[in-house]
Amino acid sequence: MPDIAMGVLSRNGTVLLARRSSERKVHPDRWSLPGGHIEEGEDAETAMCRELMEEIGVTPELWQFAGRFGSEGPPEASVTFHVYHVDKWHGRPRLIGDEHTELRWFTAAAIEKEAELALPQLTEMLVNLAMRETGTPA
């Protein structure tokens, strides 16, 4: 079963989402978190740091584990997602490569109302992280 590591960058009550390219086989044109496959010999934290550098040009400096969940789908296509909340990073998020077509900061309300998330399991986690940033009770 493949494992995917993802990073949630947050600032001022918003979280950064990346729109997946229309060329992606899985969840094209949907919003998701930057991240990717954990390679052999890597742990999830190392993979998350590498993927954020490769996909959006930031180096995580301070993070904490936010949660883990499995994909909804047939067992032969199941994936485990490892999500980290990145509190501090170096660099300015920008698009690198062709995996994503847009980066946008979303509030909790926008996540619930506007964002067509590739992974519905992320909704509650992202809303809670955005609200915690503003001190709003979840």
Side-chain angles (χ1 to χ4, degrees), residues 6 65 67 114:
M6 307 170 100
F65 181 70
E114 297 172 35

Side-chain angles (χ1 to χ4, degrees), residues 37-44 46-47 50:
H37 290 273
I38 299 172
E39 296 177 357
E40 191 167 332
E42 267 185 330
D43 60 28
T46 303
R50 177 183 51 75

Side-chain angles (χ1 to χ4, degrees), residues 25-130:
K25 282 190 250 181
V26 180
H27 306 297
D29 294 318
R30 297 279 186 153
W31 291 100
S32 191
L33 293 170
H37 290 273
I38 299 172
E39 296 177 357
E40 191 167 332
E42 267 185 330
D43 60 28
E45 290 183 27
T46 303
M48 179 270 301
C49 291
R50 177 183 51 75
E51 288 287 344
L52 290 183
M53 187 61 200
E54 290 175 359
E55 291 186 6
I56 62 170
V58 301
T59 304
E61 294 180 349
L62 182 65
W63 62 85
Q64 58 194 17
F65 181 70
R68 176 183 304 115
F69 61 89
S71 62
E72 296 173 346
E76 65 276 4
S78 64
V79 176
T80 300
F81 295 90
H82 306 262
V83 183
Y84 294 88
H85 180 215
V86 180
D87 299 304
K88 186 178 177 189
W89 63 89
H90 179 74
R92 196 172 131 254
R94 66 192 187 283
L95 290 172
I96 296 175
D98 59 1
E99 289 187 36
H100 302 101
T101 58
E102 183 181 356
L103 295 176
R104 188 189 314 167
W105 295 95
F106 282 83
T107 63
I111 290 167
E112 292 180 310
K113 292 183 179 117
E114 297 172 35
E116 292 183 45
L117 292 176
L119 304 164
Q121 304 95 318
L122 282 174
T123 303
E124 184 178 350
M125 182 184 298
L126 294 174
V127 166
N128 287 338
L129 288 171

